[in-house]
């Protein structure tokens, strides 16, 4: 087998300063990692990346373009086109990236094209569940199950966030650590403190991350030093909604509902919904009010910590402002039993949320380890998503979530770190733990689980298993849909097989985007979506893994997912902006010999020998 290698170094760009250069014109580039404020004005025009592009088109459809060209608008941050150059002639490629003599294609040609060289481009990772205050004790306190863990470690930690200086210190490091690990979008739980939550909004905006952020609501069964009064708690949630809208960059949204109605959200229950066993499926995805990057989120901590009055009011706020709901569901057996005692009138833990107007197409629930078949059906029918947090589930001894079963039954699934229940801020760790958890869940369950096989049939999908390959999912009409969606949910894959690395990668990108209601904006490299992306260097000087020149591009990617970390992350882009950069190859660049570098197409040069705009280069040798 002929080896596939990523062999080309990046070329100098035709214009300075580059939006990914990490320094302003006239200054020297820095080797120190740093975040870039989104207040920096963006460049204007079109910009491109050429080389290896990797993304998930759907569950089971990992696409690797070995010589791809991605072009995006630097003003809007939106991808304009993605082209597979491997089947094109040199003249056709030149027409895409070089201006014709008559200038007739000038408006379509990127102002500059950056050669990825030995690096590759992949979508940014989406963390669907993380507790920002708990970053302070991440990596400790793993000796207790959930409920005892909350009382012993979590509540005392979060109570300290009434101190804004402490909050600033922890939140700044938490957000930076996530970005450094390639998380371009995060669904953050804050504490119950309004001012500290506003501060988290400010810090996330300053560092350029895309985020869902909510103040935790909890008015019962909580320690006396960390609990809120119901009416004040609801007022604080309304104040946060106001703050996110009023301080965001887009003040002209026609869908924003002013919170001048503050206090108008009644605490009495609304009319009861229809029976949960007969919930009509959503006919269209709801539009979430987003102020560019930050979305206010409704967060009842979990059912035991919220009164019915609190939950009814939060449900109404979610409906009034068209906002997401983010909470926990069926994480541990003890928690589930507690909910049964608190709400004996409800059919299940999930039904409590539904009866209070908190389970709908904008809802996503962390964990869902022990959901009954009825709860899984309820989530599917309402469009509620699941955020799988395998590291936390292992560390707190909560159990193992059977993600494959959720997928084949039509439930949307993404991944989360769940710091500090999870012991790492890295979504790469969550991807690995997801694969391990799926293998663990599969022990002894398949292929005799008729319920799962039946669900796969109900999903109207056929399973095609190629020799030596993972099963690709093909909808019954033969046409794969964007995001792997059939009837609005991920097609679940072969019900007899645990998840593989490509499927776990899908959950960390497109799966998370779908769960957060952002699949029309981010998750992969489809034109029209925002450029939320990572440049990965598998040859980084201090990389956690080694390459030997024999690996295919596919194998390099797999090796990176299982062994790579933040040392391989060169640059992070959110909405087309470079929000983080580090020099990963300060030594390898200087030590590279000319014989190691190779162009598939000779570079175009001016009479002076300078590389011209749009120089055609590729990132691998087939």
């Amino acid at each position: 087998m002929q080896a596939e290698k990523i062999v080309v170094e990046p070329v100098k760009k035709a214009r300075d300063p580059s939006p990914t250069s990490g320094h302003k014109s006239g200054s020297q580039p820095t080797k120190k990692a740093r975040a870039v404020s989104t207040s920096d004005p963006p460049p204007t025009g079109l910009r491109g990346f050429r080389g290896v592009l990797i993304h998930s088109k759907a569950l089971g459809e990992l696409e690797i373009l070995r010589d791809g060209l991605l072009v995006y608008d630097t003003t809007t941050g939106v991808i304009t086109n993605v082209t597979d150059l491997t089947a094109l002639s040199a003249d056709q490629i030149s027409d895409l990236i070089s201006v014709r003599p008559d200038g007739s294609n000038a408006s379509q040609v990127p102002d500059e094209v950056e050669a990825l060289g030995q690096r590759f481009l992949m979508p940014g990772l989406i963390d669907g569940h993380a507790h920002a205050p708990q970053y302070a004790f991440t990596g400790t306190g793993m000796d207790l199950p959930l409920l005892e863990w909350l009382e012993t470690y979590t509540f005392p930690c979060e109570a300290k966030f009434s101190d804004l200086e402490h909050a600033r210190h922890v939140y700044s490091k938490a957000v930076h650590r996530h970005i450094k690990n390639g998380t371009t979008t995060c669904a953050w739980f804050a504490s119950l403190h309004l001012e500290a939550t506003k501060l988290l909004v400010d810090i996330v905006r300053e560092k350029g991350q895309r985020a869902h952020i909510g103040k935790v609501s909890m008015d019962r069964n909580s320690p006396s030093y960390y609990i809120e009064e119901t009416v004040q708690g609801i007022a604080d949630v309304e104040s946060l909604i106001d703050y996110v809208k009023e301080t965001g960059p887009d003040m002209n949204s026609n869908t924003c509902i002013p919170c001048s109605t503050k206090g108008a959200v009644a605490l009495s229950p609304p009319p009861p919904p229809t029976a949960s066993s007969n919930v009509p499926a959503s006919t269209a995805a709801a539009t979430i009010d987003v102020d560019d990057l930050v979305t206010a989120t409704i967060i009842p901590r979990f059912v035991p910590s919220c009164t019915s009055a609190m939950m009814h009011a939060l449900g109404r706020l979610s409906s009034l402002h068209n906002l997401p709901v983010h909470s926990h569901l069926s994480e541990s057996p003890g928690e589930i039993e507690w909910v049964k005692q608190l709400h004996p009138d409800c059919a299940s833990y999930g039904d409590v949320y539904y009866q209070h107007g908190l389970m709908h197409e904008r809802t996503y629930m962390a964990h869902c380890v022990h959901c009954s078949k009825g709860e899984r059906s309820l989530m599917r029918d309402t469009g509620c998503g699941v955020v799988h947090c395998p590291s936390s589930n292992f560390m707190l001894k909560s159990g193992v979530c059977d993600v494959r079963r959720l997928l084949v039954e039509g439930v949307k699934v993404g991944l989360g770190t769940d710091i500090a229940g999870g012991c790492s801020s890295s979504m790469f760790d969550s991807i690995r733990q997801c694969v391990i958890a799926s293998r663990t869940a599969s022990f002894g369950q398949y292929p005799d689980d008729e319920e799962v096989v039946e669900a796969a049939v109900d999903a109207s999908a056929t399973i095609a298993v190629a020799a030596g390959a993972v099963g690709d999912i093909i909808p019954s009409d033969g046409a794969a849909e964007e995001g792997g969606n059939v009837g609005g949910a991920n097609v679940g894959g072969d019900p007899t097989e645990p998840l593989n690395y490509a499927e776990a990668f899908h959950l960390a990108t497109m799966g998370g985007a779908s769960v957060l209601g952002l699949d029309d904006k981010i998750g992969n490299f489809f034109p029209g979506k925002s450029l939320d992306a990572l440049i990965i260097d598998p040859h980084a000087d201090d990389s956690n893994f080694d390459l030997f020149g024999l690996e295919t591009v596919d194998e390099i990617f797999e090796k990176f997912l299982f062994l790579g970390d933040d040392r391989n992350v060169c640059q992070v882009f959110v909405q087309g902006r470079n929000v983080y950069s580090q020099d990963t190859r300060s030594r390898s660049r200087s030590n590279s010999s000319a014989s190691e570098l190779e162009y598939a197409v000779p570079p175009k040069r001016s009479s002076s020998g300078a590389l011209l705009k749009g120089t055609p280069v590729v990132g691998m040798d087939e």
Side-chain angles (χ1 to χ4, degrees), residues 531-553:
L531 182 71
D532 285 19
L534 314 178
I535 296 180
I536 301 298
D537 185 0
H539 299 271
D541 282 349
D542 57 350
S543 176
N544 190 48
F545 62 95
D546 297 304
L547 298 173
F548 301 96
L550 302 174
E551 297 90 351
T552 64
V553 173

Side-chain angles (χ1 to χ4, degrees), residues 53 65 105 549 613:
L53 312 179
L65 300 182
N105 67 336
K613 163 183 151 178

Side-chain angles (χ1 to χ4, degrees), residues 278-345:
N278 223 0
V279 183
S282 236
T283 57
T287 300
I288 291 178
D289 240 347
V290 178
D291 80 41
D292 283 3
L293 295 181
V294 176
T295 302
T297 310
I298 304 299
I299 299 184
R301 184 175 206 113
F302 67 155
V303 166
S305 69
C306 295
T307 63
S308 279
M310 173 72 82
M311 287 189 285
H312 280 306
L314 293 175
R316 290 187 172 188
L317 282 174
S318 173
S319 176
L320 177 64
H321 299 284
N322 202 31
L323 293 175
V325 172
H326 180 189
S327 192
H328 301 88
L329 176 63
S330 297
E331 182 176 356
S332 71
E335 169 198 12
I336 295 169
E337 184 59 34
W338 193 8
V339 171
K340 285 181 181 178
Q341 295 171 11
L342 292 170
H343 295 273
D345 54 322

Side-chain angles (χ1 to χ4, degrees), residues 101-122:
D102 63 2
S104 57
N105 67 336
S107 63
Q108 286 81 43
V109 173
D111 295 321
E112 55 183 330
V113 175
E114 179 174 356
L116 293 171
Q118 294 181 318
R119 307 166 299 168
F120 62 83
L121 191 74
M122 60 171 274

Side-chain angles (χ1 to χ4, degrees), residues 248-277:
D250 182 8
M251 300 295 294
N252 300 311
S253 171
N254 291 327
T255 57
C256 284
I257 301 173
C259 284
S260 56
T261 56
K262 194 169 293 183
V265 178
L267 297 181
S268 58
T274 55
S276 60
S277 58

Side-chain angles (χ1 to χ4, degrees), residues 38 197-203 205-206 239-251 256 291-294 296:
T38 54
T197 307
K198 290 179 181 178
L199 182 59
L200 178 59
V201 171
D202 295 342
I203 290 169
R205 283 185 172 139
E206 176 189 343
S239 294
L240 180 66
I241 295 169
D242 274 348
Y243 185 78
V244 172
K245 290 181 178 180
E246 292 169 0
T247 59
D250 182 8
M251 300 295 294
C256 284
D291 80 41
D292 283 3
L293 295 181
V294 176

